[in-house]
Amino acid sequence: MQSLHDPDAKRALRRQLRRKRSALSRDEQRQAALDLCLNLKHLPEIQRARRISLYLPVNGEIDPTPLLSWFQKRNVAVYLPVLRPLSDNSLWFVAYHARTPMVKNRFGILEPDTRFAAQRRNRLPAWALDTLIVPLVGFDGHANRMGMGGGFYDRSLAFMRRGGPAPNLIGVAHACQQVEALPVEPWDVPLSAVVSDEAVVRASKKKS
Ligand SMILES: Nc1ncnc2c1ncn2[C@@H]1O[C@H](COP(=O)(O)OP(=O)(O)OP(=O)(O)O)[C@@H](O)[C@H]1O
Ligand SMILES: [Mg+2]
């Protein structure tokens, strides 16, 4: 039997799951986004956070942005991931509000434009956030995560493997992105939970 870790098997699984979420209609996407945000609002990691990151959805990703106005009312500072220039394919997190100037990165994804000093002043490394809302391509019943395959989040969160204070990581996805089992690689940084439009899947507690 082909191993889950086989690169061809992982590529095929990513393709299949990306196709599934892209097939959702606009109405299904809108409803899923609202249901996701209702579920997220119940999480202590979301309720307690004062600095939180989310993302602008692409390629059928579930949309966490209905939370923006809720965060604003609660005076929560919201950040978006930005590819670090001149760096090792890892991410900064830059403050985001309605008037933030945006620019497309090399993947065509909009991000706050760090050519402006105001955006550079308001950028943080991942360890300075309380909670990160992380996109994913696939997840399983243990809250294991498969991302787009670039290793961007894993690289930016690699410090968490060394212990010490760390942000909460909440993966978010459409319920149809859940699979039976995912391969866990040594560099994969574990999530606290995955929240979908239908459910909250908690990772089992680590032994201390
Ligand atoms: N901490 C790290 N340092 C160096 N390379 C890394 C690190 N983490 C991951 N990588 C590299 O990134 C590649 C992609 O990793 P993986 O398949 O886990 O991506 P992913 O989790 O799907 O992507 P992403 O984190 O962007 O959502 C791997 O081949 C791995 O070698
Ligand atoms: Mg990974």
Side-chain angles (χ1 to χ4, degrees):
M1 204 185 91
Q2 200 180 29
S3 152
L4 287 175
H5 294 266
D6 178 81
D8 286 340
K10 285 175 73 172
R11 211 171 301 124
L13 183 56
R14 281 195 174 95
R15 199 175 322 123
Q16 182 199 333
L17 290 168
R18 289 181 61 159
R19 208 174 286 152
K20 244 186 186 177
R21 71 180 184 194
S22 295
L24 296 169
S25 70
R26 195 186 290 242
D27 280 351
E28 286 169 329
Q29 281 284 359
R30 197 172 304 133
Q31 191 57 52
L34 296 177
D35 293 344
L36 169 77
C37 292
L38 277 179
N39 289 341
L40 284 170
K41 284 177 190 175
H42 285 113
L43 253 57
E45 293 95 329
I46 300 288
Q47 292 178 354
R48 281 199 303 259
R50 309 311 303 158
R51 288 172 168 176
I52 196 158
S53 78
L54 44 73
Y55 62 90
L56 305 182
V58 293
N59 299 322
E61 286 172 338
I62 199 161
D63 182 3
T65 61
L67 283 178
L68 283 170
S69 55
W70 189 71
F71 285 140
Q72 204 171 12
K73 269 186 240 134
R74 296 162 71 98
N75 279 325
V76 174
V78 175
Y79 293 75
L80 287 180
V82 172
L83 291 175
R84 281 177 73 155
L86 316 172
S87 158
D88 49 336
N89 283 336
S90 64
L91 304 166
W92 287 111
F93 293 84
V94 178
Y96 174 67
H97 52 73
R99 291 170 311 285
T100 304
M102 304 290 283
V103 65
K104 277 191 178 169
N105 67 22
R106 63 186 147 97
F107 298 109
I109 299 174
L110 276 179
E111 52 178 45
D113 190 346
T114 49
R115 289 173 301 180
F116 293 92
Q119 272 55 255
R120 281 200 302 279
R121 268 198 304 279
N122 284 313
R123 70 187 174 191
L124 296 175
W127 56 259
L129 298 169
D130 305 311
T131 297
L132 280 74
I133 293 177
V134 178
L136 55 84
V137 173
F139 68 102
D140 67 14
H142 300 286
N144 293 317
R145 167 179 186 270
M146 174 181 262
M148 296 267 268
F152 288 93
Y153 277 96
D154 286 325
R155 258 184 236 99
S156 312
L157 297 166
F159 68 92
M160 288 178 66
R161 311 193 62 79
R162 297 189 286 270
N168 298 297
L169 306 182
I170 308 296
V172 294
H174 294 285
C176 66
Q177 291 171 249
Q178 181 162 4
V179 297
E180 197 58 37
L182 281 176
V184 181
E185 310 291 357
W187 57 79
D188 281 330
V189 177
L191 303 172
S192 312
V194 175
V195 180
S196 76
D197 46 322
E198 288 182 7
V200 176
V201 176
R202 284 265 167 206
S204 47
K205 286 257 185 323
K206 271 185 290 179
K207 284 183 233 118
S208 49

